[in-house]
Every structure is written in C-alpha cells, then in structure tokens.
Amino acid sequence: MSGAEKIAVRVTEKAALNDLVTRFRFEPVAGGLLPTFSGGAHTVVEMRDGEITRLNPYSLMSDPFDQTAYTISVRRDDAGRGGSLFMHNQVNVGDEMVISNPVNLFSLDLRARKHLMIAGGIGITPFLAQIKQLDRAHGNWELHYACRSEALGSYVDYLTATHPNDVNVYYDDQDQAIDLENLLDGQPLGTHIYVCGPKGMIDWVRGKAAELGWPREAVHYEEFLAPKPGKPFEVKLAVSNKVIQVGEQESLLEAIERAGVDAPYLCRGGACGMCETRVIDYAGNFIHRDHWLEDEEHSSGEKIMPCVSRFEGKTLVLDR
Amino acid sequence: MTIQFNDETFREDYSFHNSERAIKRFPFPFDNDSYMYAVNMEQHRGGPPDSVYEKRFDVDEHYVSEMRDRAMVLADDPLRCQSLPHMTLAGWDLLELIMVSKSEDYPDLFELHRDGDQWHWINKPLGIDDRFTFMDETTLPYGPMEYITRQAQGDFCVLDQRDDNLWMDAGTVTTQADWSLDFDIGMNFFEWHAPVPLAHEKGIFVRALKFLLNIQQGAPARRLNWTLTVNPLLDTSPENYHKWGVQKTTLTPENIGSKQHLRVELQTFFRLPRSNALVFPIRCYLCSFQDLMTAPKWGRRLHRVIRDLPDELATYKGFIDNRPMMLDYLSKFDDGLPTSNGIWPELDTEPPLQK
C-alpha cells in the first residue's frame, strides 16, 4: 500500500470564508485523538467522486497540539481538474472521508533565531499551524502576507487581531507590495525565510535572497502543484505489462492506480520525490511540472514524476 | 508474561548471561548462508509472539542491569549524552513515544497517566514514580531525552531532518559498536557513515537516506546489523578502546565458546511528530557462540558467514585477527547440511548436528 497511513474522519464543520476559500474540520470517526503533527505538515484527502478517486494534499492549519480535530482550507479552482470543486460542492458536514497521516515537507528549521514568513493567498495555511507551534515555544517570528483584496484576505482579521505587531498584510488591489529587498536586508543573523504561495512569489523570494547572499539552507519554500489537465495519452507499464490511457482530467499517477498498479507516492504535488519513475522508452515530449527532478534530469528523458507531469507523443514506456 | 530480571554485569566479572528463553528469541541476523550489505529495511509493526520484533521497544531480562550499566557510563563520561539546543522538542517527542509505547505494550511494568500536560509516569522495574509537566523541562530531573533514555535499553540517535539530509544532533550512546556520539555530533548522514567500507560504492547510503527521509508518522521501520564482541561488553566505544580492545587478545581455543559473542543491533526508525525529527534506536543484543550453537541451524550458518565474509568487512568489524580461531571452533558445528531460509532457529524442524 502506497502513501502515508490512513485515518477515517468525519466532516464536522464547513465554513465559507470568502468567495474562494472554504474551511473544513475533520474529526476521527473512531473517536479518540488524532496524531500530533509539526507546523507545515499536510494531509492527503481522498475524494471519491463517482468513478474517479482524487487524492489532493492540503496543509494542516489547526494547532499541531490539538488532537481533537484537523482543519484545512480549500481554495476553489474553477479551471482545475475538479478536486477543489468537489470539496466545495459535494462535501458536507457529517460526511465520512479518508485522509492520510500528517506528512511534513515544509517544517520549521528549529535552529533559526527568527522565522521570517512570506505568504501569498492560500499559501497562508501552513503558517497558521507554524505560528501556533512557535507561540507555544515563545519563538520569534514575523509574517508578511500578500492577498488580492480585503474581501479575499483569508484569516487576515484573525491574524491581525491576535498578533498585531508581527503580522503585515499587503493588498494587491491597493497596490501594496512587500518591500522584499529592505525586508531581507534588516534581518538579524540566524533568520530563516519561509515562503509559501504562487510559483512567481516563490521564485521572486528565492531569487532575491540568493542575490543578497542568503545561504540556500536558510530559505525554505513549499508550493503544492495541483496536477493540471491536459491532452489524453497512452502509456505502457513494462513491469505490470499493461497499456493504460491517461484521460484529460486525470494525472498519470491516478491512471496508473486506476489500472490496479500500486505505485509509491506521498505528497502528490511534485515535491517529495516518492513517485519518481524511470522511463524505459519514449517518442514525444515530456511536460515536466515537478520541483523534484533537476533540470538535467528533466531534459534527460530518463525520469518522470507521474503525480504532476504529463506526456505528449506516440510512445511512453515506464518501469512500473 | 512477567519478566524475571537478571542481576548481572557487562564489565569486570561479566556475569551477563542469557536464559534459554533469551537464546530462543535472540535476533540472529543472517537469513541465509552468506552476508553482504543491503538496505534490508522492513516495516516495524510487530512480529511473532515473544520475538524481539513484537513490541515497539523490546524489554527483556537484561533491562534493569543494562540501565545500571548506562548510569555508570554516563557518570564516567557525560559526553555520551548530548542534545543540541534545537533538539529539545524532539526529546519530548521521544519521551512521549517511549512512555506511550511501553505503558501500552507492558502495562504490568509501566504506567502513564495523563491529565492534559500533567503526566504521571510509573516505571516499576526501576522503581521510578514521577509527576511532571509535559513540555516543561524544569519539572524533570534531566532533559526529556536523557530522562527517558536512562529508562530504555539501547542507544538512541535523534536525527534532525533538514536540507534533504539527516543530522546527528542529539543522542544517548553508551552501548555502541565502536563509534562515538561526541565525534559524530552535528554530522550529516554521509559524514557519520564515511568510515564504512564497500557500502558507499554500492550506493547503499544514497538509497538508505532516501528511504529514511520518507519514513512517516505511524509507519516505523527496522533492520538488523551485527558485529562480534569479545566478552559481553555493552560499552565498546572508541573512548574506552584502551580498556576493551586489548581483550580481543585473550581469546583461546578453550574459552572462545563462552567469551566470543555475536552482537546484533535491532535498529528501528520512528518519525517524531512534533519536531519532524527521526529517532533511530539501536538496541544491542549479545549471545555467546556456545549459546548460539544450541540451535543447529545457527551453528551451520554462522560458520559459513564468518568463513566467507570479505576481508574488508572482517577488518572493519574488528575480528580479522581472530577469524582463524573462530573458524576452528565454528567448523565443528557445520556438517555441511543445507539450512532453511530465514533467521528463526527452527528448533523443531532443523536436523540435529550430524557429527
């Protein structure tokens, strides 16, 4: 069985925060307590949508020490493959769902003297859990949070009310922007940077930090990619001796699983490296979308991350 | 089942001994007649009843005496227990993991009562009854990692996970096979494994690290490792090499059966939830050659493994000089019959020695 351990949960709250974001609360079906976790961890939520099973990762945003429930926030993506729409439209209070044990690919570096957090949009969610963890340990942190508008500023009211001195909010529609160069320039030695948000923001922060001479180890980032839809394609699985079709709305990994082949995975967002698969033969073009493989590996045609990457062409044979 | 704890020593007069039950459950590390490195990992989720695999943290007849030996080592050399400042949270994780596991797995020996962060811990074999506040270091006599590892058999390495690597940033190490926590503290996975021969070339460590980085909460793993030790010494550390190294020269054909021990490490790996660190308990089991020879399968196989081991490994494991004498002894227990696969002694089905 691939993936992390599973937990059966019941939805006990569904709260719309604004036009795009809805919060869900999960409690264990069996009663008792959920595992503790570390700030920055995510859970993989299984969605049974008729014939289709989707497994999407969402950051845990509740207090890591609160074992009675987990909460996640889901941003609706109308152009996506339907996972977020399923959560928004089909999931209701009282429903039973299956989620994975927490997995952390974005943990705090506990050596840091100060944690400088930079969030964009829904990227705020892992920081909500990290802030709770740090507050308990009297950790030193500061948050810079960019949102599109006041109406879409999820958790802004909560954050500014509870931490007025540590939270800085920027609204795009009011032409407010993080003054990154000055922000990074003024930090005490031993500060670590954490950034979670759209790809452009992550690249911007990492690039600026590198330019200013920040050590690579002091810059942490997490971007979960949702698998994108694309043209259907055919794949031969050499080990299991099967030929499968990958549909427009499903990922390569999902198609492999649908064929009854147990493939390893963890994050399903192109970040953890667990599903790395060897390419035996191909004629066509890869559409690599992961953060795991190096550029040379992407261009080598020898490896693919089936959770988020796709293929266009005639032949693709995988070692699976 | 209630455990009868031995009153024994691992130094000076070496009164350490294994009962018949302890011999039968000894984790013999060879699953076939030859040995080479492998990332021989499996899930750590129980095992056959009364085997060392059954519980998350095995407690056996040596528990009380091993903890006494650990206290002596720590009194002589406090650097055997170290925790870098950022590892305190992982120490609480480890304390919680061991207390919860032991109280659930051995309810007749250990009790944990929790009321919020007010915890009450009872360790009957060691006569400990403490109340403390979870996550408040001032309420325990030691830091959380030291406190609990003074009550748990085996060494404990607490590894921080960052930058796609593991870092030896905390641990209690008093029963080690010739490596030093004080030397390795702060090193990463490749640095502390640098002295191991052959395995780097085989890519073992790259694969092992990838596996370990992905160990998840609630899904611990385990493997066995082994070496050979003259006299039942728990503390075979580099710091004390001048005391135990010379004992390797005291082997004779007459005493080798009782003095030469197979030393097996049950290595387990648990993700720690609050810190996202990894704990790596290394539990040491010792068994004399003569006790091992009571299982015909183990006698046949141990001879073949020691005989065929590459010289580099026999050198690294520190027994190349004594190998000829060992083979003289072990060959008497190898009649050339085939052995069954797997590590278990199969006392009921393996044929008795035919010579």
Side-chain angles (χ1 to χ4, degrees), chain B residues 240-269:
Chain B
N240 279 332
Y241 188 79
H242 59 292
K243 295 179 189 163
W244 61 267
V246 67
Q247 295 178 27
K248 292 196 272 186
T249 64
T250 63
L251 272 194
T252 66
E254 291 70 40
N255 67 21
I256 187 169
S258 58
K259 256 186 173 321
Q260 181 66 61
H261 288 71
L262 178 58
R263 179 190 196 97
V264 175
E265 293 174 352
L266 171 58
Q267 306 182 340
T268 50
F269 306 88

Side-chain angles (χ1 to χ4, degrees), chain A residues 8 48 77 151 250:
Chain A
R48 305 237 174 248
D77 181 1
E250 70 184 338

Side-chain angles (χ1 to χ4, degrees), chain A residues 180-220:
Chain A
L180 189 59
E181 185 146 352
N182 271 324
L183 180 64
L184 299 190
D185 191 30
Q187 295 304 322
L189 290 175
T191 300
H192 279 240
I193 301 170
Y194 304 82
V195 54
C196 185
K199 182 168 171 31
M201 176 184 237
I202 292 173
D203 292 346
W204 174 55
V205 172
R206 292 180 66 203
K208 182 62 76 180
E211 190 186 308
L212 296 176
W214 281 68
R216 186 182 52 80
E217 298 79 12
V219 183
H220 311 266

Side-chain angles (χ1 to χ4, degrees), chain A residues 5 35-38 65 101-104 107 109-111 133 217 266 274 276, chain B residues 45 86 89 96 135 160-163 210 214 216-219 273-276:
Chain A
E5 294 294 291
T36 49
F37 62 95
S38 46
F65 282 39
N101 252 2
V103 173
N104 201 340
S107 62
D109 190 322
L110 296 174
R111 297 172 307 165
Q133 178 177 337
E217 298 79 12
L266 214 47
M274 205 57 182
E276 182 181 302
Chain B
R45 300 211 184 160
H86 60 285
L89 182 61
E96 178 181 38
M135 300 284 282
D160 196 18
Q161 179 160 336
R162 53 177 202 270
D163 310 329
K210 196 168 166 183
N214 276 314
Q216 297 306 323
Q217 275 178 246
R274 292 180 164 83
S275 58
N276 202 40

